[in-house]
PDB file of all heavy atoms in Angstrom:
ATOM      1  N   ALA A 152      82.301  92.343 104.441  1.00 93.00           N
ATOM      2  CA  ALA A 152      82.432  91.188 105.321  1.00 93.00           C
ATOM      3  C   ALA A 152      83.386  90.156 104.764  1.00 93.00           C
ATOM      4  O   ALA A 152      83.927  89.354 105.484  1.00 93.00           O
ATOM      5  CB  ALA A 152      81.091  90.506 105.537  1.00 93.00           C
ATOM      6  N   PHE A 153      83.702  90.299 103.508  1.00 95.00           N
ATOM      7  CA  PHE A 153      84.642  89.222 102.829  1.00 95.00           C
ATOM      8  C   PHE A 153      86.058  89.761 102.938  1.00 95.00           C
ATOM      9  O   PHE A 153      87.069  89.027 102.530  1.00 95.00           O
ATOM     10  CB  PHE A 153      84.177  88.937 101.521  1.00 95.00           C
ATOM     11  CG  PHE A 153      82.914  88.075 101.382  1.00 95.00           C
ATOM     12  CD1 PHE A 153      81.801  88.662 101.356  1.00 95.00           C
ATOM     13  CD2 PHE A 153      82.978  86.823 101.586  1.00 95.00           C
ATOM     14  CE1 PHE A 153      80.628  88.000 101.486  1.00 95.00           C
ATOM     15  CE2 PHE A 153      81.879  86.025 101.612  1.00 95.00           C
ATOM     16  CZ  PHE A 153      80.580  86.560 101.580  1.00 95.00           C
ATOM     17  N   ILE A 154      86.397  90.980 103.291  1.00 96.00           N
ATOM     18  CA  ILE A 154      87.731  91.469 103.257  1.00 96.00           C
ATOM     19  C   ILE A 154      88.630  90.597 104.258  1.00 96.00           C
ATOM     20  O   ILE A 154      89.716  90.123 103.776  1.00 96.00           O
ATOM     21  CB  ILE A 154      87.876  92.945 103.811  1.00 96.00           C
ATOM     22  CG1 ILE A 154      86.963  93.838 102.896  1.00 96.00           C
ATOM     23  CG2 ILE A 154      89.316  93.400 103.861  1.00 96.00           C
ATOM     24  CD1 ILE A 154      86.966  95.273 103.394  1.00 96.00           C
ATOM     25  N   GLY A 155      88.052  90.242 105.402  1.00 96.00           N
ATOM     26  CA  GLY A 155      88.833  89.494 106.322  1.00 96.00           C
ATOM     27  C   GLY A 155      89.148  88.097 105.815  1.00 96.00           C
ATOM     28  O   GLY A 155      90.311  87.782 105.809  1.00 96.00           O
ATOM     29  N   PRO A 156      88.068  87.432 105.469  1.00 97.00           N
ATOM     30  CA  PRO A 156      88.348  85.999 104.911  1.00 97.00           C
ATOM     31  C   PRO A 156      89.276  85.923 103.638  1.00 97.00           C
ATOM     32  O   PRO A 156      90.169  85.131 103.454  1.00 97.00           O
ATOM     33  CB  PRO A 156      87.033  85.428 104.500  1.00 97.00           C
ATOM     34  CG  PRO A 156      86.071  86.316 105.427  1.00 97.00           C
ATOM     35  CD  PRO A 156      86.621  87.620 105.607  1.00 97.00           C
ATOM     36  N   LEU A 157      89.130  86.899 102.665  1.00 97.00           N
ATOM     37  CA  LEU A 157      89.852  86.885 101.502  1.00 97.00           C
ATOM     38  C   LEU A 157      91.309  87.313 101.896  1.00 97.00           C
ATOM     39  O   LEU A 157      92.224  86.808 101.239  1.00 97.00           O
ATOM     40  CB  LEU A 157      89.321  87.829 100.562  1.00 97.00           C
ATOM     41  CG  LEU A 157      87.956  87.412  99.854  1.00 97.00           C
ATOM     42  CD1 LEU A 157      87.349  88.550  98.997  1.00 97.00           C
ATOM     43  CD2 LEU A 157      88.386  86.257  98.850  1.00 97.00           C
ATOM     44  N   SER A 158      91.451  88.236 102.837  1.00 97.00           N
ATOM     45  CA  SER A 158      92.915  88.643 103.152  1.00 97.00           C
ATOM     46  C   SER A 158      93.600  87.362 103.752  1.00 97.00           C
ATOM     47  O   SER A 158      94.706  87.164 103.573  1.00 97.00           O
ATOM     48  CB  SER A 158      92.825  89.798 104.218  1.00 97.00           C
ATOM     49  OG  SER A 158      92.192  90.818 103.628  1.00 97.00           O
ATOM     50  N   GLU A 159      92.819  86.730 104.714  1.00 97.00           N
ATOM     51  CA  GLU A 159      93.498  85.511 105.263  1.00 97.00           C
ATOM     52  C   GLU A 159      93.707  84.479 104.250  1.00 97.00           C
ATOM     53  O   GLU A 159      94.768  83.828 104.436  1.00 97.00           O
ATOM     54  CB  GLU A 159      92.441  85.020 106.338  1.00 97.00           C
ATOM     55  CG  GLU A 159      92.933  84.057 107.475  1.00 97.00           C
ATOM     56  CD  GLU A 159      94.122  84.496 108.136  1.00 97.00           C
ATOM     57  OE1 GLU A 159      94.381  85.751 108.211  1.00 97.00           O
ATOM     58  OE2 GLU A 159      94.880  83.717 108.552  1.00 97.00           O
ATOM     59  N   PHE A 160      92.916  84.369 103.266  1.00 98.00           N
ATOM     60  CA  PHE A 160      93.278  83.321 102.198  1.00 98.00           C
ATOM     61  C   PHE A 160      94.594  83.739 101.484  1.00 98.00           C
ATOM     62  O   PHE A 160      95.474  82.974 101.046  1.00 98.00           O
ATOM     63  CB  PHE A 160      92.083  83.134 101.215  1.00 98.00           C
ATOM     64  CG  PHE A 160      92.276  81.961 100.341  1.00 98.00           C
ATOM     65  CD1 PHE A 160      92.296  80.674 100.777  1.00 98.00           C
ATOM     66  CD2 PHE A 160      92.550  82.171  98.851  1.00 98.00           C
ATOM     67  CE1 PHE A 160      92.534  79.654  99.908  1.00 98.00           C
ATOM     68  CE2 PHE A 160      92.668  81.116  98.057  1.00 98.00           C
ATOM     69  CZ  PHE A 160      92.777  79.845  98.610  1.00 98.00           C
ATOM     70  N   ARG A 161      94.650  85.124 101.223  1.00 98.00           N
ATOM     71  CA  ARG A 161      95.906  85.613 100.587  1.00 98.00           C
ATOM     72  C   ARG A 161      97.086  85.324 101.449  1.00 98.00           C
ATOM     73  O   ARG A 161      98.206  84.918 100.824  1.00 98.00           O
ATOM     74  CB  ARG A 161      95.691  87.121 100.281  1.00 98.00           C
ATOM     75  CG  ARG A 161      96.819  87.571  99.399  1.00 98.00           C
ATOM     76  CD  ARG A 161      96.484  89.025  98.734  1.00 98.00           C
ATOM     77  NE  ARG A 161      97.552  89.544  98.085  1.00 98.00           N
ATOM     78  CZ  ARG A 161      98.557  90.308  98.573  1.00 98.00           C
ATOM     79  NH1 ARG A 161      98.580  90.543  99.928  1.00 98.00           N
ATOM     80  NH2 ARG A 161      99.500  90.794  97.800  1.00 98.00           N
ATOM     81  N   VAL A 162      96.999  85.443 102.658  1.00 97.00           N
ATOM     82  CA  VAL A 162      98.087  85.103 103.685  1.00 97.00           C
ATOM     83  C   VAL A 162      98.450  83.616 103.522  1.00 97.00           C
ATOM     84  O   VAL A 162      99.608  83.203 103.532  1.00 97.00           O
ATOM     85  CB  VAL A 162      97.644  85.406 105.082  1.00 97.00           C
ATOM     86  CG1 VAL A 162      98.793  84.864 106.024  1.00 97.00           C
ATOM     87  CG2 VAL A 162      97.543  87.020 105.321  1.00 97.00           C
ATOM     88  N   TYR A 163      97.321  82.906 103.440  1.00 97.00           N
ATOM     89  CA  TYR A 163      97.598  81.375 103.214  1.00 97.00           C
ATOM     90  C   TYR A 163      98.352  81.134 101.961  1.00 97.00           C
ATOM     91  O   TYR A 163      99.249  80.326 102.009  1.00 97.00           O
ATOM     92  CB  TYR A 163      96.228  80.708 103.239  1.00 97.00           C
ATOM     93  CG  TYR A 163      96.195  79.194 103.148  1.00 97.00           C
ATOM     94  CD1 TYR A 163      96.517  78.321 104.146  1.00 97.00           C
ATOM     95  CD2 TYR A 163      95.805  78.638 101.834  1.00 97.00           C
ATOM     96  CE1 TYR A 163      96.593  76.944 103.894  1.00 97.00           C
ATOM     97  CE2 TYR A 163      95.810  77.268 101.624  1.00 97.00           C
ATOM     98  CZ  TYR A 163      96.253  76.401 102.646  1.00 97.00           C
ATOM     99  OH  TYR A 163      96.190  75.008 102.382  1.00 97.00           O
ATOM    100  N   LEU A 164      97.936  81.749 100.966  1.00 97.00           N
ATOM    101  CA  LEU A 164      98.680  81.588  99.633  1.00 97.00           C
ATOM    102  C   LEU A 164     100.039  81.994  99.788  1.00 97.00           C
ATOM    103  O   LEU A 164     100.953  81.277  99.184  1.00 97.00           O
ATOM    104  CB  LEU A 164      97.940  82.427  98.619  1.00 97.00           C
ATOM    105  CG  LEU A 164      96.585  81.995  98.098  1.00 97.00           C
ATOM    106  CD1 LEU A 164      95.967  82.854  96.878  1.00 97.00           C
ATOM    107  CD2 LEU A 164      96.496  80.501  97.598  1.00 97.00           C
ATOM    108  N   SER A 165     100.249  83.076 100.364  1.00 97.00           N
ATOM    109  CA  SER A 165     101.685  83.560 100.729  1.00 97.00           C
ATOM    110  C   SER A 165     102.499  82.535 101.336  1.00 97.00           C
ATOM    111  O   SER A 165     103.564  82.339 100.888  1.00 97.00           O
ATOM    112  CB  SER A 165     101.568  84.931 101.269  1.00 97.00           C
ATOM    113  OG  SER A 165     103.016  85.357 101.564  1.00 97.00           O
ATOM    114  N   SER A 166     102.027  82.047 102.585  1.00 96.00           N
ATOM    115  CA  SER A 166     102.786  81.245 103.305  1.00 96.00           C
ATOM    116  C   SER A 166     103.008  79.884 102.623  1.00 96.00           C
ATOM    117  O   SER A 166     104.028  79.267 102.709  1.00 96.00           O
ATOM    118  CB  SER A 166     102.217  81.028 104.777  1.00 96.00           C
ATOM    119  OG  SER A 166     101.013  80.395 104.635  1.00 96.00           O
ATOM    120  N   GLN A 167     101.990  79.362 102.031  1.00 97.00           N
ATOM    121  CA  GLN A 167     102.024  78.027 101.303  1.00 97.00           C
ATOM    122  C   GLN A 167     103.080  78.151 100.095  1.00 97.00           C
ATOM    123  O   GLN A 167     103.735  77.153  99.715  1.00 97.00           O
ATOM    124  CB  GLN A 167     100.670  77.571 100.865  1.00 97.00           C
ATOM    125  CG  GLN A 167      99.774  77.199 101.959  1.00 97.00           C
ATOM    126  CD  GLN A 167     100.394  76.112 102.998  1.00 97.00           C
ATOM    127  OE1 GLN A 167     101.030  75.124 102.589  1.00 97.00           O
ATOM    128  NE2 GLN A 167     100.119  76.301 104.311  1.00 97.00           N
ATOM    129  N   ALA A 168     102.981  79.348  99.331  1.00 98.00           N
ATOM    130  CA  ALA A 168     103.894  79.504  98.283  1.00 98.00           C
ATOM    131  C   ALA A 168     105.255  79.587  98.682  1.00 98.00           C
ATOM    132  O   ALA A 168     106.155  79.056  98.093  1.00 98.00           O
ATOM    133  CB  ALA A 168     103.432  80.838  97.504  1.00 98.00           C
TER     134      ALA A 168
END
Side-chain angles (χ1 to χ4, degrees):
Chain A
F153 290 90
I154 300 172
L157 287 168
S158 300
E159 193 58 20
F160 190 67
R161 190 169 175 272
V162 172
Y163 178 76
L164 292 180
S165 172
S166 64
Q167 294 302 327

